[in-house]
Structures are given as C-alpha cells and as structure tokens.
Amino acid sequence: MLALTFPGDRQTEFVDFPDPTPGPGEVVIEMKASGLCGSDLHYYRRPQGTPMSGKHQYQSGPVIAGHEPSGIIAAIGAGVPESLGRIGDRVMVHHYSGCATCNHCRVGWQQLCQEVPSRTYGNNDHGSHAPYFKVPAMTLVPLPDELSFAAGAAISCGTGTAYGALRRLGLLGTETIAIFGQGPVGLAGTQLAKAMGARVIALDISADRLARAAAFGADHVINPLEEDEIDIIKQLTHGHGADVSLDSSGSSQGRIAAIRCLRTWGKTCFVGEGGDVKIDVSSDLLRRQATVMGSWTFSTVIQSECARFIADRKVDVDAVFTDYWRLDQAEEAYKLFDTQTTGKAVFLL
Ligand SMILES: [Zn+2]
Ligand SMILES: [Zn+2]
C-alpha cells in the first residue's frame, strides 16, 4: 500500500509499504478518515535526516504519518474477543499503545505506560495516513453510528483533547470559562463547553478564528492584540474573573493570561504543547488559591464518553472542518495547513 511519510523540510512522500496483517491481539482497520493535526507540523517541518521525534523509535525506516484515525475493522488477529471488535465495526483508535498490562494501560491511559516507551502513531510508530492501519484491539474505541468518520477523526485527537481538559476542570453549566486560542482544539473547547451549558469567553489573535468561535456559540470574543483581555474578562464577570480557563494557544502570553483572568479559587488547564511560561508565584497563584493543571489528551474511556456525549447532544463536530482532502492531495493539504490560518482538515479515504 502507498502511505504518507514526512521526510522533513516540509516535504511529503508516498512510500510503498507491505499491507499490514494482524498478529495476536491486533486488528487492521480500513481507514475512512484520518485527520491533520497541529502536532503533525513539528514532524513535517523538522530538518531532513533527523528522526520524527525524540521518543524511542519503533521503526528504523520511514514512519507513516497521521494519528487521528477512524474507519472499519477489516481483519482480526488471533485471541481478540468479540467485545473488542468484529469485522465491519465502525471504530476510532486511542492513538497510543503501551505494555497493555501496567496500571495506567489497564485503565485506558496507554500514553502514560510505566513499563515501555509508549508508541504514538504517526510519531515513533506507523500512523493512519494510509489505506490500512494495524493497532492493538484494546486501543479501539467504538464510533457511534450517528457520527461521521471525519467526526471520529476529530474526536481521536483535537476534539477529544478539549473534552478531556473540560472533564479534568470539572466544568459546570453554572460557570464562565475563558478559552485561550481558537484553533481546532480551542474551537472544540468552545463548542463542547457550550454544549455542557457553560458561558464561554473565546480569545484569539486571529479575527477569522474569533468569527468562527462566535459562530460556534461563544458568548463573548476577545482579541488580546486589540483589547486588554484581563480587564474585559473581569468586566464580564462583575469584577471577579473567570471561574475556569483553558489554554490551547501554547503561547506564554496565553498561558499567563489564562492564570491572571481567574477569580480567586479559579482553575486553569493547559493543553497547548511546547514552550514555557513565567509565573509570579505569590500574586498569580498562592494568594489567589489558584489551581494550574495540565491535561494530555484523554483515555480510551474518556474518548468513548466524548463520542457518546457528542452523539447524544447532537454537537456538530463536522463543522470544525474547513478542508476535506483525498490522501493523494497530501502535498497541497499540508502546504495549506502549514499556514495555520485554516480550521481543521481531514483526509477522507
Ligand atoms: Zn492530533
Ligand atoms: Zn503500560
């Protein structure tokens, strides 16, 4: 099969790999949708000749890209119980695997495996930008019939990450949340927080992204390049500040504002990767009883709960997509995605 790889320096290359066959405990998925993710850009842009990531590499040659998979089970290896999947089932994949038996793996957090370096598909092991994709059956997550395959791809990463963070924050429908960064993850956060009943203040430095956030139900939008975001959030909350906040901007300015916009006893959660932030411990944290937490994607169980929530509440996850592509359009697709001005993009197979 021809599958997409990133040789580096913003190149895309199709490489011919043998069709995967499932070993014991594994399944092969016929891919139907595979999302493009902001994190792909680290691998896409890296210098040629360097490994895909600093993590332990499971492949010596080119690595198939993509980690937002959904599709249909096409083949099943020995010893896979029917409760995990049958031929033809619509599925997503929790896009990591670990040892399968440690305390974290057993509760669906394989990315936190304590025993082996975890595999992250499309990073240190083969991913889903391919016609077929082999994974351990225990990392499958059912895709409800009401949801499209593209929605499954979104839930497999960006939308699921936003849901995982809102769960970690324990967001209540009575609360006001400020969401910093309205790229695909922050926008999903806006959409899900509204569906959970909360009041949403959406922030971004792009007017286009703010317009999209408003269309997704944000109660207020703020561009920190044009207005003092802390002042406005205080005004909107009777001088107190937001109950909770979410940083999906990954910028140090977004992160510090996500802390400073909080009310006393407020909580913030960081999901944007990379970089750093400088905190004044006394005034930003301890004298306000503030809580800062991190959230790394989600577990298999939370991914499944997220899909069920979206189907039951009829959240229009497909609306996050601005671009649909065929896999053979990968070069054009990643060129545009690399500008980071669009919404979410996905390959449909
Ligand atoms: Zn992703
Ligand atoms: Zn483990």
Side-chain angles (χ1 to χ4, degrees):
M1 65 177 186
L2 283 177
L4 183 69
T5 66
F6 295 141
D9 290 335
R10 295 182 152 87
Q11 302 296 305
T12 55
E13 188 178 358
F14 282 93
V15 175
D16 199 2
F17 291 90
D19 285 356
T21 50
E26 294 176 330
V27 300
V28 169
I29 299 168
E30 181 188 337
M31 294 304 305
K32 296 293 184 188
S34 185
L36 286 71
C37 180
S39 67
D40 293 343
L41 296 174
H42 301 298
Y43 324 129
Y44 175 71
R45 294 169 179 169
R46 80 187 193 283
Q48 269 197 24
T50 55
M52 282 280 274
S53 78
K55 292 173 67 178
H56 174 82
Q57 292 293 311
Y58 282 93
Q59 302 295 331
S60 51
V63 177
I64 302 172
H67 63 266
E68 305 190 349
S70 83
I72 285 172
I73 298 177
I76 297 182
V80 175
E82 280 204 348
S83 57
L84 283 181
R86 285 169 290 196
I87 299 280
D89 280 0
R90 303 170 85 247
V91 290
M92 300 177 284
V93 177
H94 183 247
H95 63 259
Y96 313 91
S97 67
C99 74
T101 53
C102 76
N103 288 346
H104 289 136
C105 285
R106 285 164 60 162
V107 294
W109 286 98
Q110 301 226 4
Q111 68 269 48
L112 302 180
C113 181
Q114 295 161 304
E115 300 300 323
V116 299
S118 69
R119 294 166 195 260
T120 304
Y121 305 124
N123 171 319
N124 64 350
D125 202 0
H126 288 323
S128 57
H129 286 345
Y132 295 98
F133 180 38
K134 182 175 76 169
V135 296
M138 73 176 290
T139 65
L140 295 174
V141 178
L143 177 65
D145 286 342
E146 302 94 310
L147 301 184
S148 70
F149 288 110
I155 293 165
S156 295
C157 187
T159 296
T161 292
Y163 186 87
L166 298 179
R167 287 284 269 103
R168 198 145 149 56
L169 283 164
L171 181 67
L172 301 173
T174 50
E175 291 181 324
T176 296
I177 181 170
I179 302 181
F180 291 78
Q182 293 293 313
V185 175
L187 189 63
T190 293
Q191 189 178 38
L192 292 168
K194 283 304 292 178
M196 293 172 184
R199 178 179 179 227
V200 176
I201 301 170
L203 299 97
D204 202 287
I205 55 173
S206 150
D208 286 352
R209 285 185 163 179
L210 287 178
R212 217 172 287 139
F216 273 62
D219 298 279
H220 301 277
V221 298
I222 300 173
N223 185 336
L225 293 181
E226 295 170 359
E227 301 175 291
D228 184 322
E229 70 273 39
I230 309 292
D231 268 4
I232 301 207
I233 291 169
K234 292 251 161 91
Q235 282 169 33
L236 290 169
T237 52
H238 314 285
H240 296 300
D243 300 297
V244 295
S245 65
L246 172 66
D247 177 70
S248 49
S249 75
S251 72
S252 51
Q253 301 94 315
R255 285 171 179 154
I256 195 67
I259 296 171
R260 291 185 179 154
C261 78
L262 293 173
R263 68 186 304 155
T264 301
W265 295 104
K267 292 179 285 184
T268 188
C269 184
F270 291 176
V271 295
E273 292 266 14
D276 58 15
V277 61
K278 189 164 180 291
I279 296 169
D280 185 327
V281 172
S282 290
S283 59
D284 291 331
L285 291 183
L286 66 88
R287 298 198 180 182
R288 303 165 61 225
Q289 303 291 76
T291 302
V292 178
M293 59 181 93
S295 183
W296 187 21
T297 59
F298 40 78
S299 67
T300 51
V301 176
I302 291 173
Q303 186 177 348
S304 179
E305 182 191 293
C306 173
R308 218 36 283 165
F309 175 84
I310 284 167
D312 290 347
R313 306 300 172 94
K314 300 186 171 44
V315 179
D316 185 8
V317 169
D318 294 271
V320 301
F321 291 103
T322 53
D323 298 283
Y324 294 92
W325 303 95
R326 296 189 313 270
L327 188 55
D328 63 14
Q329 295 174 298
E331 187 180 342
E332 194 187 340
Y334 273 99
K335 267 210 173 76
L336 178 65
F337 196 63
D338 191 29
T339 65
Q340 291 192 285
T341 53
T342 59
K344 184 96 182 143
V346 63
F347 294 118
L348 296 180
L349 289 97

